[in-house]
Amino acid sequence: DTGVSQDPRHKITKRGQNVTFRCDPISEHNRLYWYRQTLGQGPEFLTYFQNEAQLEKSRLLSDRFSAERPKGSFSTLEIQRTEQGDSAMYLCASIPSGGISEQYFGPGTRLTVT
Amino acid sequence: AQSVTQLGSHVSVSEGALVLLRCNYSSSVPPYLFWYVQYPNQGLQLLLKYTSAATLVKGINGFEAEFKKSETSFHLTKPSAHMSDAAEYFCAVSDLGGQFYFGTGTSLTVIP
């Protein structure tokens, strides 16, 4: 069990550029979640997947945000035409199937939009 | 919808003193409750969870929490604070649909 990994750990981009983040969940976990966390706040839910199906999206997720999990394994989160307000930590978490379990979090990707 | 309220965004305690971090939830059904800790520039790490078994839950690093349905609370405690406990703490609630809701966090400072 290598844990949840995220890449990159840090990303600095200019306003208007597109960015893509990757999350690799724990291998046997079929649910995968994306969160956004700003300074002094708790994680805010963005979206989650059950295998390759995207089951729910937050209203926070504007049309500039898109997430995929094409083969039910890793997931990507893309932000198009980044804005300074997108600067945040983007967290990924996964849980195994069946029952209620705690989420296992990755280390996060810190995005800075200049 | 579920929600979580953490009273006190900042808590300071002396080393060796009792730690008490407050969490209240709103839920129309029996919830699943969690406490996570976050160190700077890291992801969240589970401290403990309540999933309708024993109401007093013991976690890692000497932390424990008590589920009180009548008070809709799940406060986190530790008898004696250590310098390494300084971090951000988040309470979270989960519903049967697999959605998780987090509080705004409490920053714990331990004074030597």
Side-chain angles (χ1 to χ4, degrees):
Chain A
D1 178 1
T2 58
V4 179
S5 61
Q6 292 186 246
D7 183 69
R9 293 291 308 277
H10 304 274
K11 179 70 176 179
I12 300 174
T13 191
K14 292 184 178 181
R15 188 176 52 187
Q17 298 295 306
N18 299 344
V19 294
T20 300
F21 310 141
R22 176 178 170 128
C23 171
D24 286 88
I26 294 171
S27 59
E28 64 269 24
H29 288 187
N30 66 353
R31 282 203 174 183
L32 186 150
Y33 298 75
W34 284 101
Y35 293 89
R36 180 173 66 190
Q37 184 181 26
T38 53
L39 195 63
Q41 298 296 316
E44 295 176 293
F45 169 77
L46 293 178
T47 187
Y48 86 95
F49 293 84
Q50 173 95 9
N51 298 314
E52 64 274 11
Q54 188 172 19
L55 296 188
E56 191 168 340
K57 291 171 60 173
S58 166
R59 282 169 286 182
L60 292 173
L61 213 64
S62 75
D63 56 5
R64 295 185 298 105
F65 287 71
S66 62
E68 294 183 340
R69 195 182 182 197
K71 297 182 179 179
S73 55
F74 73 91
S75 175
T76 58
L77 177 68
E78 181 182 17
I79 308 174
Q80 297 182 326
R81 305 181 303 281
T82 53
E83 301 172 356
Q84 286 189 320
D86 297 331
S87 296
M89 175 78 89
Y90 290 84
L91 294 166
C92 175
S94 68
I95 65 173
S97 61
I100 295 294
S101 170
E102 69 271 22
Q103 293 182 315
Y104 293 79
F105 281 85
T109 294
R110 180 164 296 283
L111 172 66
T112 302
V113 182
T114 62
Chain B
Q2 313 267 9
S3 69
V4 171
T5 302
Q6 291 185 241
L7 295 176
S9 58
H10 293 89
V11 170
S12 294
V13 299
S14 298
E15 189 175 17
L18 172 71
V19 176
L20 171 61
L21 305 182
R22 300 178 186 274
C23 173
N24 288 87
Y25 66 91
S26 68
S27 172
S28 58
V29 297
Y32 300 97
L33 295 157
F34 308 84
W35 274 100
Y36 287 86
V37 61
Q38 186 178 33
Y39 297 100
N41 296 311
Q42 294 187 25
L44 279 69
Q45 178 186 2
L46 181 74
L47 279 176
L48 49 80
K49 63 181 179 182
Y50 167 78
T51 56
S52 74
T55 56
L56 182 62
V57 181
K58 294 186 183 298
I60 63 171
N61 301 339
F63 285 94
E64 62 183 37
E66 185 173 9
F67 172 70
K68 291 187 176 180
K69 185 177 179 180
S70 61
E71 298 177 7
T72 61
S73 68
F74 190 58
H75 302 331
L76 181 71
T77 60
K78 182 174 180 177
S80 176
H82 191 272
M83 295 299 295
S84 62
D85 295 327
E88 191 83 17
Y89 291 81
F90 295 96
C91 183
V93 62
S94 172
D95 61 24
L96 293 176
Q99 180 64 280
F100 288 76
Y101 305 86
F102 287 83
T104 53
T106 298
S107 177
L108 177 65
T109 300
V110 182
I111 303 166

